[in-house]
Amino acid sequence: MIVNSLAGFDPDALGAAAGRVRAGGCLVLLTPPLADWPTRDDTEMARLVPYPFTASDAGPAYRDRLARVLGEAPTSWQVIEHHPLPPVPTPDIPVPDTPTDHHPTGISGCADCRSPDQAEAIERIMAVARGRPRRPLVLRSHRGRGKTSALGLAAARVLEAGLGDVLVTAPRREAVAPLFDRLAEATGITPDGDGSLRVGDCRLRFVPPDVLLGQQSGQYARARLLLIDEAAALPAAALDGLFSTFGRCVFATTEHGYEGSGRGFTLRFLPRLEASAVSVHHHWLTTPIRWAAGDPLEALIDRLLLLDADPAESLPDRALATSSPPTRLDPLALAADERRLGEWFGLLVAAHYRTTPRDLRQLLDGPASQLWAIETGSAIDRAVIATAATQDEGGLPDDLAAAVFDGERRLRGHLLPQTLAAHAGWPDWPRLTGRRIQRIAVHPAARRQGSGGELVAAIAATARDEGRDFVGASFGMDDELVAFWAAAGMQVLHLGQHRDHASGSQAVVMAMGLSPAGEAAVERAAAGFVDRLPTRAAGPLRHVEPERLATLLAVTAPRHVPALTHDQHRQLIACARHRHHLDAALDTLRAWLTPALTQPAAQQALEPERRALLIGRMLQLQDEATLADRFGLAGHRDVEATCRQALARLLDALAYQR
């Protein structure tokens, strides 16, 4: 396997190539001379730097570390042009005698298995297929541990046993090609024209996730088992839907890989799976299949790409008590300190939905990036306890700002100003200068002690001193995150209508103004979010969970509640106290309800569930059967009665007379 990095280095490409090398194979990495590499132009950085920067503006920290690690690696063979060949290094571990690509002899027992881990995984998958519904298996491994092959071998046994059809889904069909190959080897059966495999009356077939979640999902109800490979690459909401539709599921995913950590699977989905399933079973595959345990190439790739980065293992109380103030880090110094860099990046990997080696390169070398940390103050117990990365955005010239607003241009970087211009409809935002907090993370042992807020305050103060107009963040909608950013002084400016692929939630934009122009722009956008919500809630946001909209309104600064005419006032009272039809007062209710729910008195008078019910019924116009099911109500009449009660309490809280 050869990776050509002479013109540009792609960390993700190196990770992908390394995973395809088998025991006894060789990975060749072509690079410029290591001493010159950090200062060479690198075309790959052109994909990572924001406008108006070019690849030549990128910093050298990432490649400086890369060259150092490669130069220090005892098992790498450095062949330098026009220099004599050095001796070939001898690995510390023996190359296994057994070839990795052997042909299995059957599909029963463990004759096909290449490790005890794989055999155990197959037995656990069979237990799901034979067992009662809603007892899923979560199968996790690093690369090269035979996870996908185990799925194929287990599927063969399910089909042979005649238990029923097996469905396979994944983000891409190509991702599960080894599964079908392994089953075909085990059974000797040729795939049908549509790629499915038949054993007797049962068959295995691939179905894309969106089809399984669509209206035609009923035609797959006969399936006995659903295998979801690379589950971490699917949104948590999609995984929720698959589990609710198919009672017997296996969720398989790769951890510790160049593809991205998929922490959304662990952070967002697994807690919900544990809450909704009867029981959840877990199995980790740890034994390598394609190479020997302790393989030097795997260890080198892990170190080069920081695939093994983890937060500090322990934080003694005395260390937490002596933490330093937030510090802006020098990328070169950070990249030169392996322990510090590993802890810093490990926190980001542990706290965010998907992080790839390419992300690390952008963070270290991006010309518009800044890196932050809070560390323990003791020299003995020094550790990174909080970290953040920011990027400067905005400040676009008038012609480009207009083109962004018109939808004619989409520039690399500048996420916040472009979103607020192109999707929220505010034409002036691309001209403003701002700083976006791309990532922020706090060590689990130091959470809820103010470190995250300290970082945000320091970032905002520095940005203000440097003349920025705003500081903000964009993230997948989550109640705790919304509360965190609101406590840090940011306001809700926009909620996207499409689910983010990594988090499975709509993206929220929050920001605070730092200059008079920035403060005015933030205030306009925050007020506009509330003013436009009735229209958007019934349209592009109709499928957003009403609880999420209630959360956003709860952290919104109180907005002016419009005065009601005599007739409008009578309508609201009649809806709340009597039996005036709610739909007859819909225009009045929709215009009044949104700003009313931003009032502190509304938060005190109504539980979040009741606020969400009013939003679902009045703003999103959801049908009452859906609302009854969502909020545990008996039916149409119960929904209407509960809405009237909530409306009455809201009117009382806001001092509306009977």
Side-chain angles (χ1 to χ4, degrees):
M1 183 64 63
I2 300 175
V3 178
N4 187 348
S5 298
L6 291 172
F9 177 71
D10 182 354
D12 293 354
L14 176 62
R20 298 182 67 87
V21 179
R22 298 178 180 271
C26 185
L27 175 66
V28 178
L29 177 63
L30 301 178
T31 75
L34 295 184
D36 301 336
W37 197 6
T39 58
R40 292 278 190 99
D41 286 342
D42 190 306
T43 57
E44 278 296 321
M45 278 304 294
R47 297 194 295 167
L48 303 179
V49 298
Y51 172 90
F53 296 103
T54 65
S56 60
D57 297 312
Y62 187 90
R63 283 175 296 161
D64 187 72
R65 175 186 176 272
L66 205 67
R68 174 173 52 80
V69 172
L70 283 171
E72 295 173 352
T75 56
S76 67
W77 187 28
Q78 296 184 44
V79 178
I80 303 174
E81 190 176 16
H82 306 308
H83 285 68
L85 285 178
V88 180
T90 303
D92 295 332
I93 60 170
V95 176
D97 296 329
T98 305
T100 57
D101 287 320
H102 69 279
H103 293 284
T105 57
I107 62 172
S108 60
C110 290
D112 309 323
C113 300
R114 298 173 180 174
S115 74
D117 277 350
Q118 205 175 53
E120 176 68 16
I122 292 170
E123 291 302 321
R124 287 175 176 262
I125 295 170
M126 289 300 298
V128 174
R130 292 193 175 103
R132 298 166 66 185
R134 307 199 67 75
R135 291 161 172 81
L137 171 66
V138 177
L139 190 65
R140 286 178 278 187
S141 72
H142 295 343
R143 291 183 303 157
R145 268 63 181 175
K147 166 183 59 64
T148 302
S149 292
L151 295 177
L153 292 171
R157 290 183 59 182
V158 173
L159 299 181
E160 183 187 49
L163 296 177
D165 290 352
V166 177
L167 300 179
V168 178
T169 195
R172 299 170 294 105
R173 186 185 181 100
E174 294 78 9
V176 293
L179 186 157
F180 282 82
D181 293 344
R182 198 76 175 92
L183 188 145
E185 289 177 3
T187 61
I189 295 174
T190 303
D192 292 344
D194 61 359
S196 62
L197 288 162
R198 293 181 180 273
V199 177
D201 294 331
C202 304
R203 68 170 175 163
L204 170 78
R205 52 181 165 170
F206 174 84
V207 184
D210 57 331
V211 175
L212 291 178
L213 293 168
Q215 295 180 350
Q216 297 81 24
S217 59
Q219 65 180 292
Y220 304 107
R222 181 176 177 266
R224 181 70 181 184
L225 180 66
L226 174 63
L227 304 176
I228 306 167
D229 201 8
E230 295 305 337
L234 294 174
L239 299 176
D240 282 337
L242 292 171
F243 183 60
S244 65
T245 304
F246 299 92
R248 296 177 180 87
C249 293
V250 175
F251 299 92
T253 192
T254 302
E255 295 182 334
H256 194 80
Y258 76 93
E259 304 94 333
S261 63
R263 297 298 293 181
F265 181 78
T266 302
L267 296 172
R268 183 177 293 269
F269 174 66
L270 282 187
R272 301 206 302 233
L273 182 65
E274 296 279 359
S276 61
V278 174
S279 60
V280 180
H281 303 275
H282 298 265
H283 182 63
W284 284 263
L285 287 85
T286 59
T287 305
I289 299 295
R290 295 199 292 265
W291 47 77
D295 181 78
L297 177 60
E298 182 179 37
L300 177 59
I301 294 299
D302 284 351
R303 187 182 175 202
L304 280 174
L305 304 184
L306 271 188
L307 299 181
D308 54 358
D310 286 309
E313 289 187 6
S314 61
L315 295 177
D317 292 340
R318 63 182 181 277
L320 292 174
T322 57
S323 61
S324 64
T327 304
R328 188 162 164 176
L329 305 176
D330 173 42
L332 277 169
L334 178 63
D337 188 334
E338 284 294 302
R339 178 203 57 78
R340 194 184 192 198
L341 178 64
E343 292 180 2
W344 185 87
F345 192 56
L347 275 180
L348 296 184
V349 171
H352 289 81
Y353 298 114
R354 292 187 68 77
T355 305
T356 69
R358 187 181 294 163
D359 294 331
L360 176 62
R361 183 169 193 196
Q362 186 272 324
L363 294 173
L364 284 175
D365 290 351
S369 299
Q370 303 87 33
L371 313 179
W372 292 79
I374 296 177
E375 298 176 274
T376 57
S378 167
I380 298 175
D381 299 314
R382 184 173 298 278
V384 178
I385 63 172
T387 181
T390 66
Q391 178 169 292
D392 290 339
E393 299 188 340
L396 301 182
D398 289 348
D399 58 337
L400 278 180
V404 168
F405 178 76
D406 292 341
E408 301 293 337
R409 292 291 300 273
R410 183 72 175 178
L411 306 173
R412 185 177 292 107
H414 308 280
L415 174 63
L416 259 60
Q418 291 192 117
T419 298
L420 292 170
H423 300 295
W426 302 105
D428 293 336
W429 271 86
R431 298 183 181 89
L432 300 175
T433 59
R435 186 156 289 165
R436 176 169 64 92
I437 301 177
Q438 296 174 282
R439 310 237 175 165
I440 188 166
V442 178
H443 195 286
R447 285 176 188 162
R448 304 193 183 281
Q449 298 183 33
S451 297
E454 284 186 59
L455 271 177
V456 175
I459 291 167
T462 302
R464 182 183 291 108
D465 292 343
E466 295 176 357
R468 298 279 155 185
D469 294 313
F470 68 90
V471 63
S474 176
F475 54 93
M477 174 66 200
D478 177 271
D479 289 0
E480 289 189 7
L481 290 177
V482 169
F484 168 78
W485 293 112
M490 296 193 187
Q491 297 195 60
V492 179
L493 307 187
H494 180 67
L495 176 65
Q497 64 193 63
H498 300 296
R499 292 186 182 273
D500 176 75
H501 182 70
S503 69
S505 299
Q506 286 77 13
V508 180
V509 173
M510 297 181 70
M512 72 170 82
L514 304 176
S515 69
E519 290 172 352
V522 166
E523 181 61 27
R524 284 195 302 271
F529 171 75
V530 176
D531 293 342
R532 299 170 181 178
L533 188 58
T535 300
R536 297 190 72 224
L541 301 182
R542 189 175 184 184
H543 300 292
V544 175
E545 297 91 337
E547 294 89 346
R548 305 288 77 78
L549 299 182
T551 294
L552 295 178
L553 289 176
V555 301
T556 298
R559 296 297 164 189
H560 173 69
V561 181
L564 299 175
T565 67
H566 176 73
D567 288 344
Q568 289 174 332
H569 186 210
R570 281 197 62 191
Q571 270 195 316
L572 292 188
I573 297 298
C575 287
R577 306 295 178 190
H578 305 289
R579 301 186 61 82
H580 187 72
H581 202 291
L582 295 177
D583 289 339
L586 205 52
D587 288 345
T588 300
L589 282 167
R590 288 168 61 79
W592 175 85
L593 181 62
T594 312
L597 288 177
T598 67
Q599 307 304 309
Q603 319 304 323
Q604 297 173 4
L606 288 181
E607 303 86 349
E609 294 80 9
R610 293 297 173 256
R611 283 180 262 137
L613 175 63
L614 289 176
I615 289 171
R617 174 67 176 84
M618 309 303 176
L619 299 186
Q620 295 181 294
L621 307 180
Q622 294 186 13
D623 67 88
E624 289 166 330
T626 299
L627 293 171
D629 182 64
R630 184 175 197 90
F631 293 99
L633 300 174
H636 164 82
R637 291 185 178 180
D638 201 8
V639 169
E640 293 292 295
T642 306
C643 283
R644 293 180 192 277
Q645 293 167 6
L647 183 57
R649 290 169 59 187
L650 186 56
L651 288 168
D652 286 345
L654 300 183
Y656 281 79
Q657 296 179 357
R658 294 176 179 267

